[in-house]
Amino acid sequence: MEYGHITLPSASIPVSREVDVLVIGGGASGVAAALAAAKGGAKTMLVEQRGFLGGMGTVALVPAFCPFTDKRKPIIRGLGLELMERMKQACNPGYREEYQQMLDWVPIDPEVLKRVYDDAILESGVTPLYHTFVYDVILSEDRRTVKGVVVVNKTGRSFISCRYIIDCSGDGDIAALAGVPFQKGGEAGELQPGSMCYLLANVDRLKFRRFLEESGDTGQLHKTVERAIEDGALPEGRKSISGLAWVSDYLVGVNFGHVFGVDGTLAEDLTRGAIEGRRMAERQLQFFRRYVPGFEHAHMVASGEQLGIRETRRISGDYILTVDDFIAARSFPDDIARNAYYIDIHLANSKSEMTFNHLPPGVSHGVPYRILLPVGIDNLWVAGRSVSSDRAVQGSLRVMPNCFSMGQAAGTAAALALEVGTSSRGISVTELQRRLLEQDVWLGEDFMPAEKHKGENSQ
């Protein structure tokens, strides 16, 4: 509800920074984009609204990294894999020993991950600016380029000038403010639900394992959750736990259940979702204490600052990646990454079904550069879950390993554009691919550089 409008007086605000590449959003895609741009020689700034980096892995306490492999080999390499390995090495000895060889579903220690990201950003020469919101985007007269953004923080309101900008907000905020068209959710506007994740301490992993062996239940506690629903201890809805990620034998991250009807682009919805999510987490805690051996004395030490958000905007880009591309495992002349994560669309309400679609082991599809390029703007990249795709593919691309890959490609492209003085579309894709390969990015066993495709029809 609105209560009319007021007119604000015009104001002259200071230019607080002038940078080559400005990255908005410090989740997986933003961290990778900023690191890649800085390593490419660009004067880079990373703006984040929280007091730390990590996005859903730290803000929302999503408990584990999704897979980096296609079930046979690592396909997400480069900066994403490097950062996850740095987190492993910074964790306690028991954690390192258990997860040293793992690449899929590696538990996240959020406090360690925050420090790893801080250190990586500072080592690379990126200038971080936390506790800061983007208030507006300023476009050139022809509206083809972003000149910079107006930010608001405790210091005040100021303008950050940039030559290139990368939208890693997760919600396509910068693209939307710049007037880029977008889609949101399904045909009726429905959105995947959010989840309130949390950390439980004072649990006994060995006792829990014995319970699973003796009861025949799974690690997702299918039987136990169904029994609790029948007893009325849990509400109707998801009949298993999305994931338990053991940081240690006494500390576990939990992803369980859904909060429906939350649009992550609306503060009012995020407010309601946070309140409902905390209430749900408390009810789940009582479930664990009552029904799950090893959790009798569980203590919730932290819940997410906000719900984990799965989808909001999907920008319109130079190419829309489709479910047909996914199923056919297509490659593209302008591939900048590979993806093998399954299509994972969570139910929009408690009565609908979840959608899963897996590629065979060892199979992946290409992620084309064009899905990072929002139509109508020449110096803006979008990386992360808001890239140009249909809804089904967004349910696959949205996870953190893929966000690392897309962010690294966007940051590398921005540094290349700066170097040669061109637009996001003016760079040599072949040169971009060459630089990504030098950074240990994997582009497929049968990868063919873009220049080899000249004269051929693109997919």
Side-chain angles (χ1 to χ4, degrees), residues 369-388:
Y369 177 64
R370 287 164 290 163
I371 71 171
L372 309 181
L373 304 179
V375 296
I377 308 292
D378 293 330
N379 68 335
L380 169 63
W381 292 261
V382 174
R385 59 181 166 86
S386 295
V387 295
S388 179

Side-chain angles (χ1 to χ4, degrees), residues 137-200:
V137 168
I138 305 301
L139 298 172
S140 60
E141 289 187 7
D142 63 3
R143 304 188 67 81
R144 295 289 305 184
T145 60
V146 176
K147 297 174 66 176
V149 299
V150 178
V151 297
V152 178
N153 53 29
K154 293 288 283 186
T155 308
R157 187 167 52 156
S158 68
F159 179 73
I160 300 176
S161 172
C162 63
R163 295 184 62 180
Y164 302 94
I165 184 165
I166 307 175
D167 182 347
C168 298
S169 63
D171 299 312
D173 289 339
I174 305 307
L177 285 169
V180 175
F182 60 85
Q183 295 77 44
K184 189 188 290 187
E187 292 183 3
E190 73 278 9
L191 292 162
Q192 295 184 57
S195 292
M196 178 59 76
C197 301
Y198 47 89
L199 282 166
L200 297 180

Side-chain angles (χ1 to χ4, degrees), residues 426-442:
I427 66 167
S428 163
V429 175
T430 298
E431 177 61 17
L432 171 61
Q433 292 167 329
R434 187 189 69 78
R435 294 187 183 196
L436 290 173
L437 291 171
E438 286 182 345
Q439 298 168 28
D440 199 33
V441 170
W442 190 73

Side-chain angles (χ1 to χ4, degrees), residues 87-318:
M87 183 199 73
K88 288 181 185 179
Q89 294 306 312
C91 285
N92 64 67
Y95 177 102
R96 291 200 302 272
E97 181 177 348
E98 178 171 1
Y99 299 118
Q100 185 64 44
Q101 303 305 316
M102 279 183 59
L103 296 177
D104 295 349
W105 306 112
V106 173
I108 292 173
D109 186 323
E111 294 305 317
V112 171
L113 190 59
K114 290 176 188 177
R115 296 195 300 273
V116 165
Y117 287 155
D118 282 341
D119 290 345
I121 287 293
L122 294 176
E123 289 165 8
S124 71
V126 173
T127 300
L129 184 62
Y130 299 161
H131 302 289
T132 298
F133 282 84
V134 173
Y135 171 77
D136 203 0
V137 168
I138 305 301
L139 298 172
S140 60
E141 289 187 7
D142 63 3
R143 304 188 67 81
R144 295 289 305 184
T145 60
V146 176
K147 297 174 66 176
V149 299
V150 178
V151 297
V152 178
N153 53 29
K154 293 288 283 186
T155 308
R157 187 167 52 156
S158 68
F159 179 73
I160 300 176
S161 172
C162 63
R163 295 184 62 180
Y164 302 94
I165 184 165
I166 307 175
D167 182 347
C168 298
S169 63
D171 299 312
D173 289 339
I174 305 307
L177 285 169
V180 175
F182 60 85
Q183 295 77 44
K184 189 188 290 187
E187 292 183 3
E190 73 278 9
L191 292 162
Q192 295 184 57
S195 292
M196 178 59 76
C197 301
Y198 47 89
L199 282 166
L200 297 180
N202 203 30
V203 292
D204 187 335
R205 188 182 187 185
L206 298 180
K207 187 174 182 180
F208 174 68
R209 283 176 169 169
R210 288 196 298 270
F211 162 69
L212 295 183
E213 292 173 359
E214 294 168 1
S215 68
D217 207 347
T218 66
Q220 286 71 46
L221 295 172
H222 294 273
K223 295 179 181 178
T224 308
V225 170
E226 288 186 356
R227 180 161 59 90
I229 292 174
E230 291 174 2
D231 294 346
L234 287 174
E236 288 288 340
R238 188 157 194 188
K239 293 183 168 56
S240 65
I241 294 172
S242 300
L244 295 175
W246 292 87
V247 181
S248 72
D249 286 342
Y250 59 84
L251 181 66
V252 64
V254 182
N255 181 353
F256 182 18
H258 296 118
V259 179
F260 300 101
V262 173
D263 183 341
T265 69
L266 300 177
E268 295 81 2
D269 279 20
L270 288 171
T271 300
R272 174 177 59 82
I275 294 170
E276 289 185 16
R278 285 189 284 270
R279 289 173 177 166
M280 177 181 291
E282 169 60 22
R283 187 172 183 180
Q284 292 169 359
L285 174 60
Q286 299 308 319
F287 153 76
F288 276 110
R289 288 174 173 170
R290 177 180 170 188
Y291 285 84
V292 185
F295 285 75
E296 295 89 346
H297 306 291
H299 175 72
M300 188 179 299
V301 292
S303 59
E305 181 182 329
Q306 70 161 64
L307 290 180
I309 299 296
R310 294 182 170 89
E311 71 170 335
T312 52
R313 302 184 184 101
R314 305 187 310 277
I315 60 108
S316 295
D318 287 2

